[in-house]
Amino acid sequence: MELMRVVEARRPENVGRVVRIRGWVRTRRDSKAGFSFIEVNDGSCLGNLQILAPVNLPNYESIVKHLHTGASIVVDGTIQASPAKGQATELVAQRLELLGDADPTLYPLQKKNHTYEFLRTIAHLRPRTNTFGAVTRIRHRVSLSIHQFFHENGFYYIHTPIITASDCEGAGALFRVTTLDPARPPLRDGQVDYTQDFFGKPTYLTVSGQLQAEAYACALGKVYTFGPTFRAENSNTTRHLAEFWMVEPEMAFYELADNMDLAEAFLKRILRDVLQECAEDMRFFQERVDPNLLQRLEQVLQTPFRRISYSEAIDILARAGRVWEFPVAWGKDLQSEHERYLAEEYFRGPVILYDYPRSIKPFYMRVNDDGRTVRAMDVLVPGVGEIIGGSQREERADVLEQRMREQGLDVEAYRWYLELRQFGSVPHSGFGLGLERTLLFLTGLTNIRDVIPFPRYPGHAEY
Ligand code: 4AD
Ligand code: MG
């Protein structure tokens, strides 16, 4: 028997084929005309395959008539053209086997729509819903486009470490990695003695692979790292996770403008691929989540991203004539409300802000000639705010070392990083794109906990 996935069985060119389908029952309806209609989904696409199960199946009375939502089945049958609306084909069953039942008095996913809040409490079952199936397929597609884009543009994929001794962003939002017994740690002079820890010093989960990516960019030219990153910021917001995925390209011989060009081309490539390759799932989000989604995304694709300096942005915000929850002033970091005003109301599209005050940005960003700003860039998009953060890197060893001291870093611990400037230093740049923020942007969903399979945030590390 030829195995076929629902996505293929739904195609009209497969009418007449005799196939085996395996999946989970979404609904069952018994008709008086001598058969039952069973909607089956196997995750291969949003749409279900309608099974026609005739009463003359040997297990019709004993099994078919008792199939519940969520049960797993195997069906052998013939694909035929369907007279019903919204589907080109259906499958006439010749044999149906029940693999695992789902007790309707216990199975939490019944036919009705569930809230996102409820679904978060059953994160192991929510992939069986339309929304999470669609998110999952789009997440896969974005991951694939990331690799394709960089590969086609001459980048190498670098696997940077998950465990690290450095705090790249200098924000102190680190998860400690240790094998010491927290109840009885070894002490020296009243302090925990980390020389006795597994690595002989304090180590953490990485907040970014950038510093290590820089080492490889300064040898292979163009590289990227793409993996999980961890931040112990206590931000209980719809835009923050404690564990999220970030893709970070790093390019030797790139200055800030080249970095912006790359960021824009990269984001547009992801967008174009998703609109093309995930059309059915994207229509679902348009219909169910955000009626302006497709129009907004098409427009993003067509328009060049606006580019303005941080100082210009501060002027715009100060002139906006509104009361901000967080006051606007030069030297203060922008908050989500400011970023969204710029992208959603003022420019009505993506905008790249650059040249931020040096005092609010990490040590590694290149200091401008004015001495007060650094070559930072953030890409802001409607619906999300900051989706990309990046910069040109400080390539002058002396300036970099001074910035480290200014921010209270242990220079010796970053000696290797300084050496990249001491030996064959080149101008270089890079950025980080948050995968989950990208998925919010693409799907119109509003809570970041709904675009990652098993979200981690303060107080939550279930599953
Ligand atoms: O702006 P960030 O902190 O930049 C860096 O980490 C740089 N080292 C990147 C680089 O230049 N290579 O983070 C980059 C992006 C943000 O724009 C955002 O999309 C995402 O990562 N991000 C988060 N996403 C979810 N939850 C969080 N807590 C996030 N923090 C940052
Ligand atoms: Mg940032």
Side-chain angles (χ1 to χ4, degrees):
M1 185 64 62
E2 183 194 356
L3 280 177
M4 196 178 261
R5 296 183 309 156
V6 165
V7 64
E8 284 115 29
R10 281 173 58 87
R11 294 190 186 129
E13 67 263 28
N14 287 320
V15 164
R17 303 270 290 268
V18 178
V19 298
R20 170 169 294 174
I21 293 289
R22 302 180 291 190
W24 292 266
V25 173
R26 286 293 177 87
T27 60
R28 189 199 84 242
R29 182 165 59 82
D30 305 320
S31 142
K32 296 209 169 60
F35 44 80
S36 295
F37 294 106
I38 303 156
E39 295 277 326
V40 172
N41 190 282
D42 66 356
S44 60
C45 62
L46 185 81
N48 302 323
L49 182 65
Q50 179 170 281
I51 312 282
L52 261 68
V55 287
N56 61 12
L57 288 177
N59 57 358
Y60 185 81
E61 288 298 331
S62 60
I63 299 285
V64 176
K65 274 189 76 175
H66 308 284
L67 284 177
H68 301 120
T69 297
S72 49
I73 58 173
V74 181
V75 189
D76 298 341
T78 310
I79 300 173
Q80 67 175 28
S82 173
K85 250 181 62 185
Q87 58 191 35
T89 67
E90 57 196 21
L91 186 75
V92 184
Q94 272 111 43
R95 191 186 81 93
L96 187 151
E97 184 190 344
L98 173 66
L99 295 183
D101 201 358
D103 182 341
T105 65
L106 299 174
Y107 186 58
L109 283 178
Q110 296 304 325
K111 207 181 148 192
K112 67 179 159 66
N113 283 329
H114 298 288
T115 64
Y116 297 123
E117 287 76 16
F118 171 69
L119 292 173
R120 258 171 245 146
T121 67
I122 50 165
H124 58 306
L125 295 173
R126 69 179 186 171
R128 301 183 189 193
T129 64
N130 285 335
T131 304
F132 289 87
V135 167
T136 305
R137 285 181 293 270
I138 291 173
R139 193 176 166 111
H140 165 78
R141 179 62 243 187
V142 172
S143 304
L144 189 60
S145 290
I146 287 169
H147 288 300
Q148 284 178 338
F149 175 85
F150 286 126
H151 176 71
E152 288 163 17
N153 286 285
F155 287 69
Y156 298 104
Y157 180 26
I158 308 299
H159 300 109
T160 49
I162 301 287
I163 300 174
T164 157
S166 55
D167 176 4
C168 172
E169 294 306 296
L174 301 165
F175 286 104
R176 193 180 284 283
V177 175
T178 177
T179 51
L180 297 180
D181 178 356
R184 240 169 301 128
L187 300 176
R188 186 200 269 167
D189 305 331
Q191 303 266 319
V192 175
D193 181 10
Y194 285 104
T195 62
Q196 295 188 47
D197 203 350
F198 190 89
F199 298 104
K201 59 174 158 186
T203 50
Y204 312 92
L205 293 177
T206 186
V207 297
S208 161
Q210 176 196 321
L211 303 189
Q212 294 90 348
E214 282 185 54
Y216 273 73
C218 293
L220 287 106
K222 295 194 281 187
V223 303
Y224 68 106
T225 173
F226 180 25
T229 47
F230 308 86
R231 296 195 185 177
E233 4 177 48
N234 203 0
S235 335
N236 232 320
T237 80
T238 56
R239 302 278 180 277
H240 290 88
L241 289 166
E243 176 179 297
F244 63 98
W245 282 63
M246 183 158 58
V247 52
E248 296 181 275
E250 189 69 37
M251 298 72 68
F253 315 109
Y254 266 48
E255 302 200 3
L256 193 66
D258 310 312
N259 206 22
M260 292 186 201
D261 291 344
L262 185 79
E264 179 169 346
F266 175 51
L267 207 52
K268 285 182 169 172
R269 162 64 183 272
I270 291 173
L271 185 50
R272 191 174 310 120
D273 283 356
V274 166
L275 289 172
Q276 244 166 47
E277 306 295 323
C278 304
E280 185 189 26
D281 290 324
M282 290 301 286
R283 272 198 306 278
F284 171 81
F285 287 113
Q286 158 94 9
E287 282 161 20
R288 297 299 184 84
V289 175
D290 179 354
N292 298 318
L293 182 68
L294 294 180
Q295 196 214 336
R296 182 170 71 242
L297 295 179
E298 282 295 343
Q299 202 184 333
V300 167
L301 212 46
Q302 305 312 327
T303 3
F305 292 7
R306 291 297 304 263
R307 300 180 184 188
I308 61 161
S309 69
Y310 166 90
S311 301
E312 289 172 89
I314 291 294
D315 287 345
I316 291 170
L317 294 166
R319 282 190 272 105
R322 52 171 80 187
V323 186
W324 301 108
E325 190 189 336
F326 297 90
V328 171
W330 201 97
K332 280 201 156 66
D333 210 356
L334 298 183
Q335 302 295 326
S336 179
E337 57 172 340
H338 310 130
E339 296 174 343
R340 295 186 61 176
Y341 171 78
L342 292 169
E344 278 159 37
E345 297 181 50
Y346 195 85
F347 291 111
R348 293 172 185 276
V351 42
I352 309 183
L353 301 191
Y354 60 89
D355 288 352
Y356 281 70
R358 70 189 279 171
S359 56
I360 58 171
K361 288 293 185 185
F363 70 95
Y364 54 72
M365 296 188 178
R366 192 182 196 283
V367 179
N368 279 313
D369 292 344
D370 65 11
R372 20 182 338 242
T373 60
V374 289
R375 314 227 77 194
M377 60 167 229
D378 275 7
V379 181
L380 318 179
V381 295
V384 178
E386 180 193 337
I387 195 169
I388 286 178
S391 68
Q392 184 172 331
R393 319 306 189 189
E394 184 55 73
E395 85 284 10
R396 298 163 296 186
D398 53 337
V399 182
L400 182 61
E401 190 168 334
Q402 197 213 321
R403 285 276 286 157
M404 287 178 168
R405 295 192 193 284
E406 187 178 302
Q407 302 207 352
L409 269 67
D410 172 9
V411 174
E412 278 325 298
Y414 292 86
R415 187 54 62 192
W416 66 272
Y417 187 69
L418 277 166
E419 283 189 3
L420 300 174
R421 279 73 180 167
Q422 196 182 339
F423 308 122
S425 188
V426 292
H428 61 288
S429 301
F431 60 82
L433 170 78
L435 181 64
E436 289 76 21
R437 300 250 179 114
T438 307
L439 287 163
L440 291 178
F441 173 59
L442 292 170
T443 59
L445 291 169
T446 52
N447 194 319
I448 200 162
R449 297 166 191 175
D450 297 331
V451 294
I452 187 164
F454 298 100
R456 271 86 178 91
Y457 50 98
H460 289 266
E462 308 309 317
Y463 310 98

